[in-house]
Amino acid sequence: MDYKARYRKLKEDLRTTTGRNVLTFMVFFLISTVFWFLLALNDEVQKDYRIPLKLEDFPRDMTIISGNVPVINVTVKDKGSALAKFSWGATPSLKLRYENFSRLADNHLLLSESQLNSAMRGIFGNSASIVAVRPDSLHLSYTTNPGIPVRVIVDADVSTLPQYEVFGTPRISTDSVLLYSNLKSRLKVKELYTYPITLTELSDTTTVEVRLNVPEGMKAVPGTVRVTFPVEPLVSKTRELKIEPINVPHGMRLVTFPAIAEATCLLPKSLYSSGATPMKAVVDYRDITPGKKTLPVRLQGIPPYYKSTSLSTSSVEFLLEKTDR
């Protein structure tokens, strides 16, 4: 691309009557835009903001149990120029310290409506009008009791696509949490369940973050855990199993023809090269029926993670022999 040629052509076009008219229009358009922007900044506007709340300088042995609102919703009215910095930059957080709260009885702290409005004016300036603050006050309950470790149990209903399997127990980011409360009943809590997790049609290992179902008046730290469900594809595997007679009386021997059966199953991919399993093919002496020369073959000890297990033969011929023992 020849930029010099394009630049020369642009200069020539601007020397024409049409080019001068376009240039004049653009200059006046730019000036009017600047004036409109300046006037708009002087207009009074009303905007909603979400202000993150941060609690600082609290005693180390104090744990907030309830009322720790993570976000304050505030509606502010002021000139556009005063609020422009909050629209273009990062929204500031509201930092509240222990001494900002009024100490109430029974392990409670209070930040009144007037105190909260004053804190908001400290963020937006004295010229701002605070239209609404939600919540209009902060009521915090706390405890100085140490945390009690309790076990985390996953409440989940998980299913996969047909050729996949959840193999193994769910992995939790932490198997125990600390439970804080002023209630004596906290001493009886030994485990906490997650809120129910429902996942369907999984085809890959999946991790979710879920809250713990904590009794009212108590707080768990952490309050959420990450749960990973290991999902593997299912692969087909065929094994040769020796057919084993069971329940044969003393002094008798049962021989099958054939003596080997092939078992085919679907199993998690990571187990394809694993060693022997307790699975075996058996025939039961008690299934012998007079006049019938075959016995049904059954599988026993099938691991729970084996799916769609089948035998190459459903029955075999047999022979009974007496032994010296």
Side-chain angles (χ1 to χ4, degrees), residues 232-250:
E232 290 192 28
L234 295 175
V235 294
S236 178
K237 184 175 182 178
T238 300
R239 296 184 54 200
E240 288 189 345
L241 300 175
K242 180 182 177 181
I243 300 177
E244 302 178 24
I246 60 174
N247 298 317
V248 180
H250 181 72

Side-chain angles (χ1 to χ4, degrees), residues 291-303:
K292 194 171 182 180
K293 298 181 180 180
T294 60
L295 283 174
V297 184
R298 300 186 181 92
L299 283 172
Q300 290 185 348
I302 302 174

Side-chain angles (χ1 to χ4, degrees), residues 99-112:
E99 60 266 18
N100 297 140
F101 289 84
S102 300
R103 258 70 72 189
L104 303 178
D106 300 327
N107 298 324
H108 285 80
L109 302 174
L110 174 66
L111 190 73
S112 65

Side-chain angles (χ1 to χ4, degrees), residues 77-322:
K77 183 183 290 185
D78 203 349
K79 288 186 177 181
S81 56
L83 297 179
K85 59 182 178 180
F86 301 112
S87 300
W88 297 338
T91 303
S93 60
L94 176 59
K95 297 179 180 179
L96 295 176
R97 293 177 170 78
Y98 177 68
E99 60 266 18
N100 297 140
F101 289 84
S102 300
R103 258 70 72 189
L104 303 178
D106 300 327
N107 298 324
H108 285 80
L109 302 174
L110 174 66
L111 190 73
S112 65
E113 181 177 359
S114 60
Q115 289 174 306
L116 192 55
N117 285 341
S118 176
M120 288 299 164
R121 276 191 290 272
I123 294 176
F124 294 98
N126 293 328
S127 63
S129 174
I130 308 300
V131 178
V133 179
R134 298 171 297 277
D136 56 6
S137 60
L138 290 180
H139 192 182
L140 309 182
S141 61
Y142 68 89
T143 183
T144 55
N145 293 323
I148 299 173
V150 295
R151 190 161 59 101
V152 175
I153 298 179
V154 177
D155 180 5
D157 181 11
V158 180
S159 62
T160 64
L161 291 174
Q163 292 298 318
Y164 296 86
E165 179 73 10
V166 177
F167 179 54
T169 57
R171 299 191 296 267
I172 317 175
S173 57
T174 177
D175 58 1
S176 65
V177 296
L178 292 178
L179 187 66
Y180 294 88
S181 179
N182 290 312
L183 303 174
K184 292 183 178 179
S185 57
R186 74 186 189 281
L187 301 174
K188 299 180 181 180
V189 179
K190 303 301 179 183
E191 56 192 29
L192 289 177
Y193 283 81
T194 65
Y195 276 95
I197 303 170
T198 302
L199 299 173
T200 59
E201 298 185 345
L202 297 185
S203 60
D204 199 0
T205 297
T206 301
T207 299
V208 296
E209 186 163 356
V210 61
R211 292 190 300 118
L212 297 176
N213 191 358
V214 183
E216 186 176 356
M218 303 183 187
K219 180 179 180 179
V221 179
T224 62
V225 294
R226 292 186 308 278
V227 184
T228 300
F229 298 93
V231 176
E232 290 192 28
L234 295 175
V235 294
S236 178
K237 184 175 182 178
T238 300
R239 296 184 54 200
E240 288 189 345
L241 300 175
K242 180 182 177 181
I243 300 177
E244 302 178 24
I246 60 174
N247 298 317
V248 180
H250 181 72
M252 300 290 292
R253 185 162 69 100
L254 192 156
V255 182
T256 64
F257 304 96
I260 300 293
E262 285 189 345
T264 302
C265 62
L266 294 175
L267 73 164
K269 185 178 179 181
S270 63
L271 294 180
Y272 186 82
S273 300
S274 61
T277 68
M279 185 173 67
K280 58 183 180 180
V282 300
V283 291
D284 194 337
Y285 176 86
R286 293 177 297 188
D287 289 333
I288 295 176
T289 303
K292 194 171 182 180
K293 298 181 180 180
T294 60
L295 283 174
V297 184
R298 300 186 181 92
L299 283 172
Q300 290 185 348
I302 302 174
Y305 43 82
Y306 276 30
K307 305 297 179 183
S308 304
T309 306
S310 62
L311 280 169
S312 60
T313 178
S314 59
S315 62
V316 291
E317 295 181 351
F318 68 95
L319 178 66
L320 284 176
E321 296 179 340
K322 291 186 177 181

Side-chain angles (χ1 to χ4, degrees), residues 21-61:
N21 290 339
V22 171
L23 182 61
T24 302
F25 171 78
M26 293 300 295
V27 170
F28 278 100
F29 177 78
L30 179 62
I31 293 173
S32 63
T33 301
V34 172
F35 274 108
W36 174 86
F37 185 72
L38 292 175
L39 290 173
L41 288 178
N42 286 323
D43 290 341
E44 195 171 65
V45 296
Q46 180 172 305
K47 289 190 175 183
D48 296 325
Y49 296 96
R50 291 171 59 84
I51 308 298
L53 174 64
K54 294 184 179 180
L55 302 179
E56 296 183 344
D57 298 335
F58 273 61
R60 286 191 173 184
D61 63 343

